[in-house]
Amino acid sequence: MNAMAHTFVDEPLKLGPWSFTSRLLAGTGKFKDAQETLEALTASGAEIVTVAVRRVNLTPGTEGNLFDLLSSRFRLLPNTAGCYTADDAVRTCHLARELLGDVHGRMVKLEVIGDQKTLFPDGAATVEAARRLVADGFVVLPYISDDPVLALRCQEVGCAAVMPLAAPIGSGLGMRNPYNIAIILEQAKVPVLVDAGVGTASDAAQVMELGCDGVLMNTAIAGARHPVWMARAMRDAVTAGRMAFKAGRIPKKLYA
């Protein structure tokens, strides 16, 4: 039998006009220093890494800036963390594109926070900001609650993907509502990337086994006792979960 028949070859993850091999997207916050950041991100196998425009130095050529550290190795994905209105989020995205150019500044992770304690998103403001950003030529990846209707609205205004949370940001609880995520997947015509709530490798595998196109995480890696090891574990879990989904699991039954 041809050995190639047993080789798993996945299609690329398409976001707007770009294609990527890795289905794990990683955050760049909360690491202890630049070296740990770089080592963990490299171990994760991520091609896309998020950067908080309002919280970190991204100005090339300045001391301690993340652009010079990461831009030659990864595709930067500016995010609007810390924005609580559509106006703030839109303004932050335009700042990112001016600062980073089209290569690193045109595709953006849109976050419009509705509650400061839980960091749950403001759905209406997210859709409004997404509509304006798409009209301005951005490739928009919105962070949303696990609401199938909200996912549809984001898709309708032209978002290149939807990013429902698995659980509250930084909680590490894993996927709390697989049924809503499954409905979002069923109706989606764009990639579904789970964002927030993953705590360990089994959580990432479960998300991918459900059929999600990718997963974004930060705290689960940066907050681990050994971030580089956890990054490697997450890389392997995402790959395993994706392969299991494509292979097709057996039906669940009470007995044989």
Side-chain angles (χ1 to χ4, degrees):
M1 184 176 287
N2 185 355
M4 289 300 293
H6 297 293
T7 302
F8 176 67
V9 180
D10 200 5
E11 64 266 25
L13 171 63
K14 294 207 69 174
L15 298 173
W18 302 290
S19 296
F20 302 93
T21 301
S22 174
R23 292 177 178 272
L24 190 157
L25 292 71
T28 56
K30 304 181 181 180
F31 293 100
K32 68 179 182 182
D33 54 32
Q35 181 177 349
E36 183 179 82
T37 301
L38 196 56
E39 289 179 357
L41 294 179
T42 301
S44 76
E47 294 170 87
I48 302 172
V49 299
T50 64
V51 289
V53 179
R54 293 165 63 101
R55 294 175 176 170
V56 300
N57 178 10
L58 292 172
T59 305
T62 59
E63 184 177 355
N65 79 87
L66 280 183
F67 183 87
D68 290 343
L69 178 69
L70 301 175
S71 62
S72 64
R73 297 171 181 247
F74 307 97
R75 174 64 178 271
L76 302 186
L77 177 65
N79 70 55
T80 60
C83 292
Y84 288 83
T85 68
D87 285 344
D88 277 350
V90 169
R91 186 162 45 247
T92 299
C93 289
H94 279 279
L95 175 63
R97 188 162 64 178
E98 290 174 14
L99 184 63
L100 304 176
D102 260 5
V103 173
H104 293 288
R106 184 177 161 215
M107 184 167 68
V108 294
K109 180 192 171 191
L110 173 63
E111 299 181 32
V112 186
I113 301 302
D115 177 65
Q116 192 169 14
K117 181 178 180 180
T118 62
L119 300 182
F120 282 139
D122 182 326
T126 299
V127 172
E128 172 59 24
R131 179 184 293 109
R132 291 162 58 183
L133 289 167
V134 169
D136 288 339
F138 287 91
V139 175
V140 181
L141 315 181
Y143 158 66
I144 60 173
S145 58
D146 56 352
D147 177 352
V149 176
L150 180 56
L152 272 179
R153 296 294 173 264
C154 288
Q155 184 172 282
E156 288 167 357
V157 300
C159 291
V162 292
M163 304 183 74
L165 54 81
I169 289 176
S171 68
L173 289 171
M175 187 163 47
R176 296 293 86 197
N177 194 340
Y179 307 105
N180 275 21
I181 300 293
I183 294 170
I184 291 172
L185 286 164
E186 182 180 322
Q187 65 191 17
K189 294 181 173 61
V190 296
V192 177
L193 313 173
V194 158
D195 178 17
V198 167
T200 191
S202 57
D203 298 333
Q206 183 186 23
V207 163
M208 298 304 295
E209 287 171 3
L210 194 62
C212 292
D213 297 280
V215 57
L216 188 152
M217 63 187 75
N218 184 187
T219 306
I221 294 175
R225 285 196 301 272
H226 200 306
V228 177
W229 293 357
M230 185 60 82
R232 174 64 184 269
M234 291 298 191
R235 183 191 77 180
D236 293 346
V238 168
T239 299
R242 175 69 175 176
M243 193 182 300
F245 168 72
K246 298 291 280 187
R249 64 158 293 135
I250 64 170
K252 293 182 179 181
K253 298 182 290 185
L254 288 177
Y255 45 83

